[in-house]
Amino acid sequence: METRAGDPGAFARFDLARVDSPAFVVDAAALRRNLGVLADVRDRAGIRLLAALKAFSMWRVAPLIGQHLDGVCTSGLWEARLAAEHYSGEIATYCAGYKAEDLPEICRVSDHVIFNSPGQIARFADVLAEARARGDRFDVGLRINPLHATGEVPRYDPCAPHSRLGFPIDQLREAHLAGVDGIHFHSLCEQDLEPLKRTWAALRPRLAPFFSRLQWLNFGGGHHITRADYQRDELVEFLQATRAETGCDIYLEPGEAVALDAGILVGTVLDVQHNGMPVAITDISATCHMPDVIEAPYRPAMLSERANDGSDPVRLGGPSCLAGDVIGDYRLPDGCAPGTRFAFLDQAHYSMVKTTTFNGVPLPSIWLWDSETDALECIRSFAYEDFRDRLS
Ligand SMILES: Cc1ncc(COP(=O)(O)O)c(C=O)c1O
């Protein structure tokens, strides 16, 4: 999978020696830029726009997100609780499978509680009624599966055959919408406007009979709206037209677009040897710190990587025991001697939220930099106890 992000932005002039290693460094100015772009689309289109916490939930910057967007979307009880404790605005919770014991708190803190099947809505009808009797106010949503694949990687395609995500649209009948206020779908991943339009064209005839009874439509995430070449004006037109046609409030809930190109992961070369090519061990682990490198898979862009000048690249990998803990082959800007610092671009989203301590590999610390003021603050660093306390 090719990543289409990787703009260094102000990180091109960031001195990597200012932070410890490994470390995530997030640029508040880059976040403000992304949030400004999203808020502008939201305002012009007259929609509601939520930030997906699953992609980026560095809650220290929650006030910044609250200043620009309408709230957040969450994936279950713990993200919903985090949202209620730290974020402002609406909370839309969707979970592929709720547990009865989690739902009362989810209903209390969420504005939208979105289910994966009409079966779950029916099974939890009593829990929902009790929550409302207690005074909780929330809408009920149903995630549908558009059955219209647009993704290049099946693992990231909720419309792949036999997908468990969303109720297949070809099974939707009026009876399934009893007590349902809104319809949700999420089927895009790092995509342009065209796949959204195609998905909507496939869905529209199926949903049209129900427009008048629905309050809102949530078009999920996967919209790469803050990428420089995204078709934002056309998106605004499309959203305005869809809103007018359906009479529904329209929600988008991007995650990646909120933090696109807003953070780097700084690492250090620990050792280098030769095995048919130069191979280096670093204190960044693909499996512990950037699992999408292996899962997607993709090759993260490196800050200031040297162009291919015919010299041997170095294969960079982590300190774990996993043979496949390999990040990729790179030409480092400052050579590859032990002690050399380097950084991978576009690591604010879907890396910080996915880190593990497999093999006891330390977690990267988290820094907040503001490239406009040059203020730099260590928000959190992790100790042995963080590893120990997760295990028993
Ligand atoms: C239901 C839902 N909403 C929103 C998102 C955010 O998507 P992205 O970060 O690609 O914009 C996801 C991502 O998987 C999702 O599953």
Side-chain angles (χ1 to χ4, degrees):
M1 191 173 173
E2 262 306 309
T3 174
R4 288 200 282 169
D7 179 349
F11 286 113
R13 58 180 167 80
F14 183 77
D15 177 3
L16 303 183
R18 292 175 73 188
V19 297
D20 61 347
S21 175
F24 290 106
V25 184
V26 170
D27 179 4
L31 277 181
R32 286 196 298 271
R33 188 205 75 87
N34 286 342
L35 292 166
V37 168
L38 293 171
D40 175 62
V41 166
R42 182 265 320 269
D43 292 342
R44 287 195 285 145
I47 61 157
R48 311 280 291 167
L49 206 142
L50 312 177
L53 287 191
K54 73 185 71 183
F56 178 64
S57 35
M58 180 180 164
W59 45 269
R60 179 59 171 264
V61 295
L64 197 56
I65 290 178
Q67 278 162 28
H68 292 84
L69 306 185
D70 299 298
V72 296
C73 76
T74 74
S75 319
L77 178 60
W78 285 1
E79 278 191 358
R81 192 181 292 171
L82 187 73
E85 285 176 4
H86 291 285
Y87 289 79
S88 56
E90 287 186 49
I91 300 176
T93 302
Y94 156 77
C95 185
Y98 289 107
K99 287 185 155 180
E101 59 267 35
D102 293 350
L103 257 185
E105 185 176 343
I106 287 172
C107 292
R108 184 158 52 75
V109 301
S110 305
D111 299 278
H112 293 180
V113 182
I114 302 167
F115 290 82
N116 196 51
S117 72
Q120 276 231 327
I121 299 180
R123 204 167 314 121
F124 289 125
D126 290 352
V127 183
L128 300 179
E130 279 164 28
R132 286 197 168 112
R134 270 199 314 270
D136 297 344
R137 299 167 74 87
F138 55 89
D139 280 4
V140 168
L142 174 67
R143 175 172 177 172
I144 52 101
N145 183 328
L147 299 176
H148 181 82
T150 61
E152 27 170 325
V153 182
R155 191 179 294 119
Y156 292 125
D157 186 354
C159 296
H162 316 300
S163 167
R164 73 193 192 291
L165 300 171
F167 186 60
I169 187 68
D170 61 355
Q171 297 174 33
L172 187 70
R173 304 287 175 268
E174 192 162 1
H176 296 129
L177 295 178
V180 170
D181 305 288
I183 290 285
H184 176 287
F185 73 86
H186 167 80
S187 61
L188 306 183
C189 178
E190 294 192 350
Q191 271 158 318
D192 286 331
L193 175 60
E194 213 38 53
L196 173 62
K197 281 184 158 175
R198 274 189 271 122
T199 304
W200 179 243
L203 270 181
R204 189 173 50 194
R206 304 247 191 206
L207 289 179
F210 312 120
F211 286 161
S212 59
R213 58 184 292 168
L214 294 170
Q215 307 297 315
W216 48 263
L217 295 165
N218 183 326
F219 292 174
H223 320 281
H224 237 197
I225 299 170
T226 49
R227 213 187 56 233
D229 58 350
Y230 186 93
Q231 311 74 35
R232 287 187 281 271
D233 292 339
E234 292 82 354
L235 173 67
V236 167
E237 283 167 24
F238 166 74
L239 294 169
Q240 285 169 340
T242 310
R243 206 159 57 90
E245 179 194 3
T246 62
C248 295
D249 291 336
I250 309 280
Y251 283 76
L252 297 184
E253 47 180 40
E256 181 159 333
V258 171
L260 194 68
D261 284 329
I264 57 173
L265 178 54
V266 177
T268 303
V269 176
L270 303 178
D271 191 23
V272 192
Q273 59 173 331
H274 211 276
N275 184 1
M277 69 180 290
V279 286
I281 307 294
T282 79
D283 61 357
I284 294 181
S285 159
T287 190
C288 299
H289 304 148
M290 302 189 291
D292 283 356
V293 167
I294 297 171
E295 273 178 32
Y298 84 105
R299 178 186 184 276
M302 176 176 278
L303 179 64
S304 308
E305 186 186 6
R306 273 190 300 121
N308 185 350
D309 53 4
S311 63
D312 276 351
V314 183
R315 179 153 299 175
L316 299 183
S320 81
C321 66
L322 179 73
D325 189 356
V326 169
I327 304 163
D329 298 345
Y330 294 88
R331 292 184 178 80
L332 278 70
D334 302 315
C336 196
T340 304
R341 288 281 171 101
F342 58 91
F344 293 110
L345 297 173
D346 199 29
Q347 294 303 314
H349 57 83
Y350 291 115
S351 288
M352 206 190 293
V353 289
K354 286 194 171 188
T355 51
T356 71
T357 54
F358 177 52
N359 276 215
V361 172
L363 294 167
S365 51
I366 299 172
W367 293 72
L368 185 62
W369 179 50
D370 190 324
S371 59
E372 278 168 13
T373 62
D374 203 32
L376 177 68
E377 185 187 355
C378 183
I379 304 297
R380 180 96 156 88
S381 54
F382 299 91
Y384 160 71
E385 289 74 19
D386 295 297
F387 159 67
R388 181 194 66 194
D389 294 348
R390 284 183 53 227
L391 296 173
S392 51

